mmCIF file of all heavy atoms in Angstrom:
data_model
loop_
_atom_site.group_PDB
_atom_site.id
_atom_site.type_symbol
_atom_site.label_atom_id
_atom_site.label_comp_id
_atom_site.label_asym_id
_atom_site.label_seq_id
_atom_site.Cartn_x
_atom_site.Cartn_y
_atom_site.Cartn_z
ATOM 1 N N HIS L 173 124.010 73.377 188.137
ATOM 2 C CA HIS L 173 124.886 73.846 187.066
ATOM 3 C C HIS L 173 125.924 74.779 187.666
ATOM 4 O O HIS L 173 125.620 75.591 188.546
ATOM 5 C CB HIS L 173 124.092 74.603 185.985
ATOM 6 C CG HIS L 173 124.970 75.181 184.917
ATOM 7 N ND1 HIS L 173 125.532 74.416 183.926
ATOM 8 C CD2 HIS L 173 125.415 76.451 184.707
ATOM 9 C CE1 HIS L 173 126.264 75.191 183.130
ATOM 10 N NE2 HIS L 173 126.206 76.422 183.591
ATOM 11 N N GLN L 174 127.143 74.643 187.205
ATOM 12 C CA GLN L 174 128.220 75.532 187.635
ATOM 13 C C GLN L 174 128.737 76.320 186.439
ATOM 14 O O GLN L 174 129.031 75.746 185.383
ATOM 15 C CB GLN L 174 129.377 74.745 188.278
ATOM 16 C CG GLN L 174 129.121 74.321 189.721
ATOM 17 C CD GLN L 174 128.132 73.165 189.804
ATOM 18 O OE1 GLN L 174 128.280 72.171 189.103
ATOM 19 N NE2 GLN L 174 127.120 73.305 190.642
ATOM 20 N N THR L 175 128.800 77.620 186.612
ATOM 21 C CA THR L 175 129.327 78.527 185.595
ATOM 22 C C THR L 175 130.683 79.035 186.057
ATOM 23 O O THR L 175 130.819 79.493 187.192
ATOM 24 C CB THR L 175 128.369 79.720 185.384
ATOM 25 O OG1 THR L 175 127.147 79.238 184.816
ATOM 26 C CG2 THR L 175 128.978 80.765 184.446
ATOM 27 N N ARG L 176 131.678 78.933 185.203
ATOM 28 C CA ARG L 176 133.001 79.463 185.545
ATOM 29 C C ARG L 176 132.933 80.992 185.587
ATOM 30 O O ARG L 176 132.267 81.618 184.766
ATOM 31 C CB ARG L 176 134.047 79.013 184.529
ATOM 32 C CG ARG L 176 134.378 77.539 184.612
ATOM 33 C CD ARG L 176 135.388 77.149 183.549
ATOM 34 N NE ARG L 176 134.797 77.224 182.218
ATOM 35 C CZ ARG L 176 135.420 77.725 181.156
ATOM 36 N NH1 ARG L 176 136.631 78.231 181.261
ATOM 37 N NH2 ARG L 176 134.823 77.747 179.982
ATOM 38 N N VAL L 177 133.656 81.583 186.534
ATOM 39 C CA VAL L 177 133.594 83.032 186.745
ATOM 40 C C VAL L 177 134.997 83.612 186.710
ATOM 41 O O VAL L 177 135.927 83.071 187.315
ATOM 42 C CB VAL L 177 132.935 83.366 188.097
ATOM 43 C CG1 VAL L 177 132.973 84.878 188.352
ATOM 44 C CG2 VAL L 177 131.510 82.853 188.141
ATOM 45 N N GLN L 178 135.137 84.720 186.006
ATOM 46 C CA GLN L 178 136.382 85.480 185.997
ATOM 47 C C GLN L 178 136.062 86.958 186.137
ATOM 48 O O GLN L 178 135.237 87.492 185.391
ATOM 49 C CB GLN L 178 137.158 85.231 184.705
ATOM 50 C CG GLN L 178 138.478 86.002 184.638
ATOM 51 C CD GLN L 178 139.341 85.529 183.486
ATOM 52 O OE1 GLN L 178 139.468 84.326 183.260
ATOM 53 N NE2 GLN L 178 139.920 86.463 182.765
ATOM 54 N N GLY L 179 136.677 87.612 187.098
ATOM 55 C CA GLY L 179 136.448 89.032 187.320
ATOM 56 C C GLY L 179 137.704 89.844 187.128
ATOM 57 O O GLY L 179 138.816 89.323 187.091
ATOM 58 N N GLY L 180 137.536 91.152 186.993
ATOM 59 C CA GLY L 180 138.668 92.064 186.921
ATOM 60 C C GLY L 180 139.196 92.330 185.534
ATOM 61 O O GLY L 180 140.239 92.952 185.382
ATOM 62 N N VAL L 181 138.501 91.886 184.480
ATOM 63 C CA VAL L 181 138.966 92.129 183.111
ATOM 64 C C VAL L 181 138.672 93.580 182.731
ATOM 65 O O VAL L 181 137.525 94.016 182.787
ATOM 66 C CB VAL L 181 138.305 91.153 182.124
ATOM 67 C CG1 VAL L 181 138.695 91.492 180.687
ATOM 68 C CG2 VAL L 181 138.692 89.721 182.458
ATOM 69 N N LEU L 182 139.716 94.320 182.371
ATOM 70 C CA LEU L 182 139.600 95.762 182.096
ATOM 71 C C LEU L 182 138.877 96.458 183.246
ATOM 72 O O LEU L 182 138.007 97.309 183.042
ATOM 73 C CB LEU L 182 138.887 96.018 180.771
ATOM 74 C CG LEU L 182 139.633 95.584 179.504
ATOM 75 C CD1 LEU L 182 138.846 95.988 178.263
ATOM 76 C CD2 LEU L 182 141.030 96.195 179.447
ATOM 77 N N ALA L 183 139.264 96.091 184.460
ATOM 78 C CA ALA L 183 138.569 96.608 185.639
ATOM 79 C C ALA L 183 138.672 98.124 185.737
ATOM 80 O O ALA L 183 137.736 98.772 186.213
ATOM 81 C CB ALA L 183 139.139 95.960 186.903
ATOM 82 N N ASP L 184 139.792 98.710 185.304
ATOM 83 C CA ASP L 184 139.933 100.164 185.402
ATOM 84 C C ASP L 184 138.884 100.880 184.556
ATOM 85 O O ASP L 184 138.249 101.839 185.008
ATOM 86 C CB ASP L 184 141.332 100.604 184.968
ATOM 87 C CG ASP L 184 142.402 100.216 185.971
ATOM 88 O OD1 ASP L 184 142.035 99.887 187.125
ATOM 89 O OD2 ASP L 184 143.590 100.225 185.614
#
Side-chain angles (χ1 to χ4, degrees):
H173 176 76
Q174 281 74 49
T175 294
R176 289 178 291 138
V177 176
Q178 180 169 316
V181 175
L182 293 184
D184 289 344

